[in-house]
């Protein structure tokens, strides 16, 4: 069956790292702080939750209306014990059910109002300019409050860009009537329940036809404040990404060019305390994104941000990386960083949704790249492991068009100090074609293990199956 992609995710998920050791008075400089991302915890019970988009799901008889499955965490990981289904038909969620607008087109978790509960920003499923709806976290889970942000047809990302401990938003929207000006607006939290930020700042990112496409956020300078990498392109062309430093006074208006990038994540893969930038690079032309074999680039962090000093490019042709670099693999379609084995260095999960196994095409896979110290040369293909539905212990059967690895996340699902892998396959067939599914594999001192691996599907959760593409987007 054909593989279809609704949107490429902005994967910015990382395992929460321990606090850096404080520096005593008189020290020459503070020790770098490894990047930290708050756990997505909608009900604030201490366990990570997942928001799984089924953007083509049927709701109240309306096909392609789309819904979200909110799967709440437990001591044994996310399961069927507690679950919500949210759509435009849910009380408190504005808009009407539409058969051509997919609810869950984009999902971004963040505690916007600083009340300790993670909230969820959702786009799609409405014909009013595709504005973002905010679902608010609470002890009983996510709730709607008819909150709509003003930005239409926009991309969002979150971080703490001024170091005040509150979550902020960045959106590719800048007030300008000039069509050749693109930029971003940084909205500083906390937000009111009406969606109003404490303050905001607009930053012009280019003065020519190099439109801003998406964001990668995280602390790349070791100062405890998140930075922003913006990706750019015009029509089918990709242009240089740009690095904007966050700081106590907010995001800098000046930037540094980094080379072409489409999407990415941040994680400290060599354990030196600086977040490293891992990006998907498919060259200068993006007309057919998933037809590219795929390539990822690692630019190591420093006090000044990402640097090319030890720049590393990894593909499936790199020694030690399982598989072969072939057209349609889409190596790097989704990326996530987290410390799976607890050694202080982040691993990187690489989605390869177009990977073919034997005669089956587009079955998909996930490659886990192992973190390594500077002394060992940093991250390479050494120790890389591939996972798919033919891997012993992974439930299911690998079939053409499954799209396994379309979305990947590394986060600590069971609160044992090890990052765990969530991977989705929106093309997985259940009772109906393309109903979709996800898998959870758990981290340990020996790395990811398939022992106790679990899978969730719309059928298991009691959600509509027909063509739902469950797992096309994933927040967690």
């Amino acid at each position: 069956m054909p593989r279809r992609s609704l949107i490429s995710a902005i994967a910015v998920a990382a395992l929460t790292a321990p606090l850096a050791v404080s520096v005593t008075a008189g020290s020459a400089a503070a020790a770098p702080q490894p990047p930290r991302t708050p756990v997505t915890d909608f009900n604030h019970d201490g366990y990570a939750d997942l928001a799984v988009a089924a953007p083509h799901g049927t709701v109240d008889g309306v096909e392609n209306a789309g819904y979200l499955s909110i799967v709440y965490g437990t001591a044994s990981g996310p399961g069927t014990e507690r679950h919500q289904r949210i759509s435009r038909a849910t009380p408190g969620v504005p808009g009407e059910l539409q058969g051509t607008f997919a609810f869950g087109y984009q999902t971004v978790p963040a505690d916007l109002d600083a009340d300790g509960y993670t909230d969820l920003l959702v786009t799609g499923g409405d014909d009013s300019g595709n504005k973002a709806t905010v679902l608010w976290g609470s002890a009983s889970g996510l709730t709607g409050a008819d909150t709509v942000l003003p930005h239409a047809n926009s991309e969002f990302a979150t971080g703490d860009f001024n170091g005040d401990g509150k979550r902020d938003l960045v959106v590719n929207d800048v007030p300008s009537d000039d069509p050749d000006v693109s930029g971003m607006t940084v909205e500083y939290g906390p937000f009111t329940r009406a969606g109003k930020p404490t303050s905001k700042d607009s930053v012009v990112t280019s003065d020519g036809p190099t439109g801003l496409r998406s964001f990668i956020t995280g602390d790349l300078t070791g100062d405890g404040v998140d930075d922003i990498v913006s990706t750019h392109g015009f029509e089918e062309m990709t242009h240089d990404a740009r690095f904007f430093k966050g700081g106590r006074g907010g995001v800098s208006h000046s930037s540094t060019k980094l080379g072409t990038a489409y999407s990415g994540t941040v994680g400290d893969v060599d354990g030196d305390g600086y977040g490293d930038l891992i990006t998907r690079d498919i060259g200068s032309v993006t007309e057919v994104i998933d037809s590219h074999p795929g390539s990822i680039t690692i630019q190591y962090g420093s006090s000044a941000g990402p640097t090319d000093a030890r720049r590393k490019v990894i593909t499936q042709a790199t020694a030690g990386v399982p598989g072969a670099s072939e057209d349609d693999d889409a190596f790097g379609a989704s990326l996530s960083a987290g410390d799976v084995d607890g050694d202080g260095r982040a691993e990187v999960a690489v989605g390869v949704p177009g990977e073919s196994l034997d005669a089956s095409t587009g079955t998909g896979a996930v490659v886990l790249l192992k973190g390594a110290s500077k002394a060992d040369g940093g991250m390479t293909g050494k120790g890389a492991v591939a996972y798919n539905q033919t891997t012993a212990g992974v439930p299911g059967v690998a079939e053409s068009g499954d799209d396994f690895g379309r979305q990947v996340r590394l986060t600590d699902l069971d609160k044992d100090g090890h990052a765990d892998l969530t991977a989705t396959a929106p093309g997985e067939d259940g009772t109906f074609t393309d109903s979709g599914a996800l898998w959870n594999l758990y981290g340990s001192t020996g790395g990811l293990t398939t022992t106790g691996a679990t899978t969730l599907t719309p059928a298991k959760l009691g959600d509509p199956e027909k063509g739902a593409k469950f797992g096309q987007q994933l927040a967690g």
Side-chain angles (χ1 to χ4, degrees), residues 155-173:
E155 297 288 339
F156 297 84
T158 185
D160 179 9
F161 305 124
N162 60 1
D164 67 352
K166 309 295 191 298
R167 302 307 283 175
D168 311 313
L169 283 178
V170 57
V171 55
N172 63 338
D173 184 16

Side-chain angles (χ1 to χ4, degrees), residues 7 37 46 57 85 112 129-130 150 178 255 267 342 359 369 374 400 416 431:
I7 189 172
T37 301
R85 185 192 316 142
L112 296 177
N130 195 28
D178 188 341
S255 64
L369 300 175
K374 283 184 180 180
S400 292
D416 68 349
T431 304

Side-chain angles (χ1 to χ4, degrees), residues 8-12 155 157 170 172 182-184 205-206 210-217 228-234 237-244 256 258-265 277-281 286 299:
S8 292
I10 305 168
V12 195
E155 297 288 339
V170 57
N172 63 338
S182 64
M184 61 186 178
T205 56
S206 61
T210 55
L212 198 160
R213 281 186 168 152
S214 64
F215 304 103
I216 307 161
T217 63
I228 298 173
V229 173
S230 57
T231 72
H232 300 261
F234 181 67
M237 303 302 293
T238 295
H239 298 283
D240 286 334
R242 297 169 186 254
F243 166 73
F244 292 86
T256 305
L258 298 177
T260 58
Y262 192 82
S263 56
T265 190
L277 180 65
I278 305 101
T279 56
R280 180 189 187 189
D281 188 4
T286 62
Q299 291 170 280

Side-chain angles (χ1 to χ4, degrees), residues 284-300:
S284 60
V285 179
T286 62
E287 191 169 12
V288 186
I289 298 168
D290 282 353
S291 66
H292 197 277
S295 168
I296 68 169
T297 300
I298 301 170
Q299 291 170 280
Y300 287 92

Side-chain angles (χ1 to χ4, degrees), residues 11-84:
V12 195
L15 178 67
T16 301
L19 294 174
V21 176
S22 60
V23 178
T24 57
S27 297
Q33 302 179 43
R36 289 165 289 181
T37 301
V39 170
T40 296
D41 187 0
F42 301 124
N43 59 356
H44 194 51
D45 66 352
Y47 293 105
D49 306 318
L50 299 174
V52 190
H56 296 286
T58 299
V59 180
D60 293 347
V62 180
E63 295 184 359
N64 293 310
Y67 63 83
L68 291 175
S69 272
I70 311 302
V71 186
Y72 289 92
T74 69
S76 57
T80 58
E81 292 89 344
R82 186 155 179 235
H83 159 257
Q84 277 182 294

Side-chain angles (χ1 to χ4, degrees), residues 368-388:
L368 188 73
L369 300 175
K370 185 171 175 52
S373 68
K374 283 184 180 180
D376 291 329
M379 180 168 280
T380 63
K382 185 178 180 180
V385 182
Y387 300 88
N388 56 61

Side-chain angles (χ1 to χ4, degrees), residues 173-193:
D173 184 16
V174 64
S176 175
D177 294 328
D178 188 341
D180 286 338
V181 171
S182 64
M184 61 186 178
T185 296
V186 183
E187 299 187 335
Y188 294 99
F191 289 70
T192 68
R193 284 295 177 104

